[in-house]
Each structure stands twice: as C-alpha cells, then as structure tokens.
Amino acid sequence: MSDNTADEGQVPTPERFTQARAAQSMAVLEDYAEMIDDLAQEMGEARITDIAARMGVTHPTATKAVARLKREGLAVSRPYRGVFLTEEGAALAARVRMRHRVVVDLLVAVGVPQETAEIDAEGLEHHVSDVTLKAFEAFLARR
C-alpha cells in the first residue's frame, strides 16, 4: 500500500517546496504588475487605494506589494501621484497578460466555458512553464 502524499518511491525535497514558494511569490508580483498596468491604461495612473480595491486587499497589503515591485525595479512612484511601471515592469505585465490569454484559449479549446476559463487561468498562468506554454500555443495553432 502506498502513501498518496508522494509519487511511488519519490520523497519530496526541500528544493521542491522552495521552488513552489518562490513561484507563488512571483505570481503575486505578476498580478500586481498586471493590475498597475490595467489601472494606468484606464485612469492614467495606479493609486494604492485603487490597487487595493481591485485586488481585494487592504491598503497596507497593496503598499507592501508595491514596495516590493519598486525594490525589484519594476515600478516607481511619485509624491502625490500614483504608481507607474518601469519598462521592465510593463514588459512583465505584457508577458503575464499573454500567458493568461494562451491558457484561457487552451481551456476554452478543450471545452471549458469562457467565464470558468478566465477564473481558472488566473491561477494557472503563473505556474505553467515556458515549455508547456509553447506546447499550448502549438496545439492552438493546429486547430
């Protein structure tokens, strides 16, 4: 009888969990970059209050995430103004948006309803490897 917590004969390693935590941390950063880009396109700038409201988080949580974006060189802010993405931040937001579209398109292609595909893609888009994403794109191109 085998334990269902791990594949037969494979013991989870600390590196696997470290990678999973890093991926989750990056997913949060990507979501904030994408939201800032959306708000900037809609309103000309992204204010912390608007970011928090759209992300469904508190003002301090949004402030902390934006501070991390700034430390990573992905965003800047100006006194009495909003938050703006750097070129690198805008490129990240564009990549995330493209990944989202590919995942949604694949889910719809295999029969997932559009609304469900949009919701599910929000989680999947951050964890799909580039190899898998290219396979999704190749599959979609053959349809």
Side-chain angles (χ1 to χ4, degrees):
M1 184 171 222
S2 72
D3 177 55
N4 289 335
T5 59
D7 291 339
E8 191 75 14
Q10 293 183 354
V11 177
T13 62
E15 293 80 18
R16 188 169 105 197
F17 295 112
T18 300
Q19 287 174 343
R21 284 190 301 275
Q24 184 60 36
S25 178
M26 188 63 187
V28 170
L29 209 62
E30 290 172 346
D31 282 341
Y32 276 90
E34 190 176 13
M35 181 57 63
I36 290 167
D37 192 49
D38 289 346
L39 287 167
Q41 288 179 24
E42 290 173 32
M43 306 167 121
E45 66 182 14
R47 297 177 312 135
I48 295 288
T49 301
D50 297 324
I51 296 167
R54 291 267 184 105
M55 297 294 288
V57 300
T58 64
H59 195 280
T61 298
T63 299
K64 183 177 175 184
V66 168
R68 182 167 170 227
L69 284 169
K70 289 164 61 175
R71 278 194 312 274
E72 299 281 337
L74 300 169
V76 295
S77 62
R78 299 185 185 123
Y80 310 106
R81 294 281 321 268
V83 179
F84 302 89
L85 294 176
T86 62
E87 281 186 35
E88 187 179 350
L92 174 64
R95 280 193 309 274
V96 172
R97 191 168 285 113
M98 182 274 305
R99 293 174 76 86
H100 181 86
R101 287 280 34 104
V102 170
V103 173
V104 167
D105 291 348
L106 178 78
L107 293 173
V108 169
V110 298
V112 176
Q114 181 74 36
E115 186 176 329
T116 303
E118 290 287 348
I119 293 166
D120 289 350
E122 200 55 51
L124 295 171
E125 70 194 18
H126 304 291
H127 301 287
V128 174
S129 70
D130 289 339
V131 170
T132 301
L133 194 69
K134 285 183 192 256
F136 287 177
E137 290 171 325
F139 172 82
L140 291 167
R142 289 192 302 266
R143 292 191 74 236

